[in-house]
Amino acid sequence: MKQQIANFATSTPVLETDLETGKRIKVSTGIVGLPVVPNGPEVLTYLYKLTLKELQVLPEGIAYRTMIEKTTRARLEILKQHGTDWQTIEAEINDGQIEELIAMAESELELIPEYARERCWEVPEGHTVEIEEFSFDRKFITSDEPAVHQIREDA
């Protein structure tokens, strides 16, 4: 016997509780077009391992590869620590539901070969960038009212 718990927020999952085991089961992500992945942690682990493998086509030290490797390794560690406990994994990663993380990982896997093909880390020959100087010399004067500030232009 199952008890339905309905949530009406757009991105809040709908859960059921199995009354015999007391286990929480996600029956809907609450996001139109994004179905529940019953073995989400396993799928996500596979995708993250594949991401680390695919990143090897990019030169070491470029910002994109470094950032994605760091994020992916941290998330793999969370998956390793919490196994199939999808609720804890979602809370620890704090970037959406498992199904959303899977969609992001799949998108990343599509981006990596594109990034490599276009050599996005290289600056095209002859490319120049105009640098604007910015000054932080403006002075702030607090008025009599709290949290109200005026900029003094004559400073």
Side-chain angles (χ1 to χ4, degrees):
M1 183 174 214
K2 295 179 180 178
Q3 177 185 17
Q4 179 91 15
I5 300 171
N7 289 306
F8 298 104
T10 306
S11 63
T12 303
V14 177
L15 307 175
E16 288 183 350
T17 301
D18 186 323
L19 296 178
E20 292 176 16
T21 65
K23 191 174 183 178
R24 305 284 285 189
I25 303 164
K26 187 187 296 187
V27 294
S28 172
T29 62
I31 301 170
V32 175
L34 190 64
V36 172
V37 179
N39 61 336
E42 294 87 356
V43 171
L44 195 55
T45 297
Y46 169 78
L47 292 172
Y48 283 160
K49 287 179 179 180
L50 186 57
T51 298
L52 291 174
K53 180 182 173 191
E54 294 297 317
L55 283 169
Q56 301 306 306
V57 301
L58 302 176
E60 285 187 37
I62 63 169
Y64 172 73
R65 176 177 168 174
T66 303
M67 178 190 67
I68 299 302
E69 283 177 333
K70 182 178 178 181
T71 301
T72 303
R73 284 192 178 108
R75 290 178 175 190
L76 270 172
E77 186 58 34
I78 291 168
L79 285 158
K80 181 180 172 185
Q81 289 173 358
H82 300 292
T84 59
D85 182 356
W86 59 268
Q87 290 176 302
T88 303
I89 292 166
E90 289 177 356
E92 290 276 325
I93 292 177
N94 194 27
D95 199 16
Q97 297 179 45
I98 290 281
E99 292 79 5
E100 291 173 288
L101 296 169
I102 289 169
M104 286 185 260
E106 289 171 338
S107 294
E108 204 69 62
L109 284 165
E110 291 175 13
L111 177 62
I112 293 168
E114 187 78 15
Y115 195 91
R117 186 174 50 79
E118 295 294 327
R119 304 182 64 83
C120 294
W121 61 91
E122 294 179 348
V123 177
E125 190 172 323
H127 182 76
T128 59
V129 177
E130 183 179 333
I131 299 174
E132 290 185 28
E133 295 287 329
F134 184 79
S135 173
F136 290 98
D137 292 337
R138 291 184 169 190
K139 306 284 188 234
F140 290 90
I141 302 172
T142 305
S143 73
D144 293 338
E145 296 179 28
V148 176
H149 300 284
Q150 299 171 338
I151 299 173
R152 190 174 76 197
E153 296 290 342
D154 60 334

